[in-house]
Amino acid sequence: DAPRVLVTGGAGYIGSHTAKLLRSEGIEPVVYDNLTTGNRSSVRWGPFVEGDVLDTSCLIEVIEKYAPDAVIHFAASAYVGESVENPAKYYNNNVCGALSLIDACRQTGLQNVIFSSSCAVYGVPSVLPIDETLPKAPINPYGKTKLIFEHMLADYAAAYGLRYVALRYFNACGADPDGELGEWHVPETHLIPRALLAAAGRIPHLEIFGDDYDTPDGTCIRDYIHVADLARAHVQAFTHLAKGGANLAVNLGTGRGFSIRDVLRVIQETTGREVPVVIHPRRPGDPPSLYADASLARETLCFQPRYSDLETIVRTAAPFFGLEARA
Ligand code: NAD
Ligand code: UFG
């Protein structure tokens, strides 16, 4: 029998790219999604069940029906700003939803969990690059919900033998190199899609949230990791657990940080379009600089980014915004 994975949130941005890669690796993805931010049209590589992770009995039914070897848990609310304004939504969806999922796992004997965590668990790091041993001190409810579930996974592992890999993504970006899937959030708040919308003239300009940070050009620095590389890491995490590997919480980044102005320069060079910008005040809760020490993922999962140079990121994302990349 081919291996099978339950993919909560598999109609979303990172989940759909991962489902496609799983299928191409001979692993059947069963997508479970309530379509709040995901798209039905992005579910094309296996069965789809419309359901909510808060619904434990529906999850149990699906797990009993499909008997997956693991679950990859993407389903969550993922807007940092909204989490500050409406923490109830975040604790409910990201903590109660995740609890419902691992309780369904416990009741059905499904032991392997791969979880979408975030670099937001570190808050404002005291040193760079960020390695996994740094203090976990999230500065917003979103990051706190991710850390709470990491703790829950560790406790369920100790008490019930659950096995897990928590993947702390840095800044997910880019689109399917075959052009079948892209980034499509409503509203779209992430830097690269907004910059491409501005370059394409679909929004009047990109607002740069602060150019007075203590960084070389005054704009924030982030570690941009291509969604195809993230998808690969999930397959590697699945293999790791299937081989009996240890429970892990690892960073997924490139180890390199780029400023907003670096990103805009590459968009201009790659598409030939200037990104019109307006300087705005800082966005509350933005750490000045975040980039990963990516060595643990390399050592434990053989994680090696292949698509995460800025040019490839822009080249794959640009067509979704009506822009052509230069030859
Ligand atoms: P997304 O919004 O595109 O995908 C989330 C999916 O989960 C959507 O399809 C949505 O419909 C589904 N969903 C939400 N709540 C649900 C529920 N209660 N029941 C069933 N389905 C539900 O987001 P994304 O950017 O693909 O992020 C996926 C995961 O990765 C999230 O857990 C997010 O927190 C995490 N993450 C994302 C980034 C990033 O840069 N995009 C960075 C770090 C971590
Ligand atoms: N930015 C702008 N203008 C925009 C959008 C973003 O200047 O229109 C800036 C932000 O202020 C930030 C950088 O571009 O300095 C990147 O912002 P994103 O919103 O693209 O990404 P974040 O770094 O805020 O968020 C990402 C993930 C979250 C995760 C967070 C951890 O999307 O899931 O990193 O800090 F929690």
Side-chain angles (χ1 to χ4, degrees), residues 9 11-15 33-38 51-53 74-76 78 93 116-118 142 146 169-172 185 190:
Y13 169 49
I14 306 169
D33 199 298
N34 68 1
L35 301 180
T36 45
T37 58
D52 199 298
V53 288
F74 294 100
N93 210 29
S116 301
S117 190
S118 167
Y142 168 75
K146 293 290 173 184
Y169 316 155
F170 280 65
N171 286 60
H185 291 116
H190 293 105

Side-chain angles (χ1 to χ4, degrees), residues 26-93:
I27 303 164
E28 183 179 59
V30 177
V31 168
Y32 185 93
D33 199 298
N34 68 1
L35 301 180
T36 45
T37 58
N39 302 290
R40 177 66 185 86
S41 62
S42 300
V43 185
R44 279 176 260 159
W45 291 278
F48 174 60
V49 180
E50 186 167 346
D52 199 298
V53 288
L54 285 156
D55 185 345
T56 317
S57 50
C58 183
L59 279 169
I60 289 173
E61 250 175 63
V62 170
I63 294 169
E64 282 174 346
K65 176 170 175 193
Y66 290 100
D69 302 285
V71 55
I72 307 182
H73 182 46
F74 294 100
S77 300
Y79 291 118
V80 172
E82 184 188 53
S83 80
V84 177
E85 276 148 34
N86 189 2
K89 174 174 174 180
Y90 281 71
Y91 286 103
N92 190 45
N93 210 29

Side-chain angles (χ1 to χ4, degrees), residues 78-80 117-121 123 140 142-143 146 169-172 188-195 203 206-210 213 219-222 224 260 282-283 285-288 290:
Y79 291 118
V80 172
S117 190
S118 167
C119 64
V121 299
N140 49 60
Y142 168 75
K146 293 290 173 184
Y169 316 155
F170 280 65
N171 286 60
E188 186 52 79
T189 61
H190 293 105
L191 175 69
I192 292 177
R194 289 198 65 79
I203 56 174
L206 173 79
E207 294 161 354
I208 294 184
F209 298 135
Y213 282 97
T219 65
C220 284
I221 291 177
R222 293 288 182 273
Y224 293 95
I260 296 175
R282 295 180 179 194
R283 191 172 69 176
D286 270 344
L290 295 173

